[in-house]
Amino acid sequence: MFSSARVGFLRTSSRALSWKRIASQLPLQAPAYRFSTTSTVWGAKNKTKKGGKGHSNDRNAGHSPPDPNLPQASQIIKEVKQVENKLKDCVEQFGIKSAEIKQGRASTAKIGQTRINLSSDEGVQELKNICNIQIKNNNRTIVLTVFDPKHVKYINSAMLAELSVTPQVDPRNEQVVNITLPTRTADSKKELAKQVKHEYEHFRNSPSKHSLTGIREEMMKHLKKCHAGGSISHDEFKDFTKDVERLFKKYSDELATSHKKIEKSVLQD
């Protein structure tokens, strides 16, 4: 009994001594490994400096070199001025076109283009080439002063066919022809107002390069191309865009005012 107990004690002691021997060979504390993000941070900073988003005003940041074929900011300033001239001209052209619609058949330009069949020797001539044309009495009377008296009969025949109105030769001057147009009805006035509105929509919103919207869209595409090509910075792109939008609004308001004025005049005449 004592012998077996002694053997067990010796085995336990032997195991304890073995663990102590192993522990004595190990370091008292595991080495502390220090980690640093310094190089990583500096690497990120260097990337930012080279082409990162931290420099929004750098027009070449993160991009290839600017396209030399695209205009610089100094040239685009001039182009924006040209855009303003185009927008202004668009409003003026609407005024001219609307005035012609308001005049209706009494438009000097339209009447002047009427083709007159003269004698076989003289052939065909436009009315404006053989007489002077005047519009009087609030677009109600057309007065023709014929250069050659022998052309009066040809003019009378052509104007009767064109306007369905019989011309009257002035008894005091055989070279003067008066054409009195009928008074407009309420329906005819409304029809003219519709035509004016149609022209307004055309000059305002049509995809034509001569409309306000067309002029604006063309310039905006140009600015986006310059921005993408690196010839202007992001801040310059925003500034030019604001300029174009401001001009577009200005002349859109002018066009709307002109339309309302002409429409009112057409309905009241």
Side-chain angles (χ1 to χ4, degrees):
M1 175 178 176
F2 289 103
S3 176
S4 59
R6 185 171 180 274
V7 170
F9 173 77
L10 290 174
R11 287 179 178 176
T12 303
S13 300
S14 176
R15 289 174 184 171
L17 290 173
S18 297
W19 281 111
K20 286 182 179 180
R21 188 178 296 111
I22 293 172
S24 64
Q25 295 176 0
L26 294 175
L28 296 178
Q29 184 176 358
Y33 295 96
R34 296 183 179 181
F35 296 93
S36 174
T37 59
T38 303
S39 59
T40 305
V41 172
W42 279 106
K45 288 185 177 180
N46 290 334
K47 288 182 179 179
T48 303
K49 288 183 179 179
K50 289 180 180 179
K53 298 180 180 179
H55 297 269
S56 60
N57 291 330
D58 185 358
R59 69 189 63 185
N60 299 324
H63 298 285
S64 57
D67 187 342
N69 297 320
L70 294 175
Q72 301 294 317
S74 58
Q75 178 61 31
I76 294 180
I77 292 175
K78 298 178 182 179
E79 293 178 356
V80 171
K81 182 62 179 177
Q82 293 174 357
V83 167
E84 181 175 13
N85 293 335
K86 290 180 181 179
L87 294 172
K88 182 179 180 180
D89 182 67
C90 179
V91 175
E92 291 176 351
Q93 290 301 317
F94 167 73
I96 294 172
K97 184 67 176 180
S98 298
E100 292 179 357
I101 293 174
K102 180 183 176 182
Q103 288 179 334
R105 293 180 296 176
S107 169
T108 303
K110 288 183 179 180
I111 294 173
Q113 294 173 356
T114 304
R115 298 173 66 81
I116 310 298
N117 292 313
L118 302 176
S119 64
S120 57
D121 295 335
E122 296 174 295
V124 179
Q125 292 283 341
E126 288 189 344
L127 183 63
K128 63 184 179 182
N129 295 328
I130 58 177
C131 70
N132 181 49
I133 305 171
Q134 291 180 297
I135 308 296
K136 296 183 178 182
N137 300 330
N138 197 22
N139 299 327
R140 294 291 180 267
T141 304
I142 303 172
V143 180
L144 307 177
T145 303
V146 186
F147 302 143
D148 189 339
K150 67 181 181 181
H151 291 160
V152 171
K153 61 180 180 180
Y154 301 113
I155 291 175
N156 286 348
S157 298
M159 298 311 292
L160 175 61
E162 180 72 17
L163 302 175
S164 300
V165 177
T166 303
Q168 301 293 329
V169 178
D170 191 330
R172 296 168 297 180
N173 188 344
E174 63 177 3
Q175 290 180 249
V176 175
V177 177
N178 296 312
I179 304 173
T180 302
L181 299 175
T183 303
R184 289 173 179 164
T185 64
D187 290 339
S188 64
K189 291 179 181 180
K190 289 180 180 179
E191 182 60 32
L192 290 177
K194 287 182 180 179
Q195 294 179 30
V196 171
K197 184 176 181 180
H198 174 76
E199 290 300 325
Y200 165 74
E201 294 293 342
H202 171 75
F203 281 97
R204 174 67 168 77
N205 297 320
S206 75
S208 168
K209 291 184 178 181
H210 303 291
S211 71
L212 295 183
T213 299
I215 295 169
R216 171 186 173 274
E217 290 301 319
E218 183 180 26
M219 188 59 185
M220 290 302 297
K221 288 180 181 179
H222 179 58
L223 290 175
K224 290 177 181 178
K225 183 178 180 180
C226 292
H227 181 224
S231 66
I232 58 174
S233 69
H234 182 65
D235 289 341
E236 289 169 337
F237 170 73
K238 290 195 298 183
D239 290 340
F240 287 132
T241 299
K242 288 179 181 178
D243 289 340
V244 173
E245 293 294 353
R246 174 180 56 81
L247 292 172
F248 176 75
K249 184 180 185 307
K250 173 184 176 182
Y251 288 100
S252 293
D253 292 343
E254 288 189 12
L255 185 69
T257 300
S258 178
H259 169 237
K260 290 180 180 179
K261 182 178 179 180
I262 295 174
E263 183 181 48
K264 182 179 179 180
S265 177
V266 167
L267 294 174
Q268 288 181 348
D269 283 350

